[in-house]
Amino acid sequence: MEANAPTLADLFAQLGLDTDEAAQRAFIAAHAPLPANLPLHEAPFWTPAQATFLREAVLEDAEWAEVVDQLDALLRRA
């Protein structure tokens, strides 16, 4: 990861979510595990704007893609 690459806290802020570690853990605990066949951006708890951001970050392989993939992995753990 690059030195200036976004962090998980940055992603939570970008999505308009609380950024502290406890809030991140609570969000992940509340929404995990996602079904294997459900793309992250199609999860029912995202707003349309959040879903669009997540989808485009991955499709465009944007600077956010790596941390979006990290969140995806965290949400798929049982």
Side-chain angles (χ1 to χ4, degrees):
M1 192 165 10
E2 295 177 20
N4 295 327
T7 65
L8 193 57
D10 294 332
L11 178 59
F12 271 66
Q14 181 68 24
L15 293 170
L17 302 170
D18 289 332
T19 61
D20 64 83
E21 285 187 40
Q24 292 174 33
R25 284 192 303 273
F27 179 88
I28 292 164
H31 298 294
L34 288 181
N37 63 342
L38 180 68
L40 176 64
H41 70 276
E42 291 181 12
F45 48 83
W46 301 122
T47 66
Q50 291 169 327
T52 298
F53 174 81
L54 293 167
R55 183 179 56 81
E56 290 179 359
V58 173
L59 285 176
E60 296 172 5
D61 198 24
E63 68 177 337
W64 292 98
E66 189 172 334
V67 73
V68 169
D69 288 343
Q70 179 185 359
L71 177 59
D72 188 19
L74 290 168
L75 285 167
R76 292 191 191 280
R77 293 183 183 161

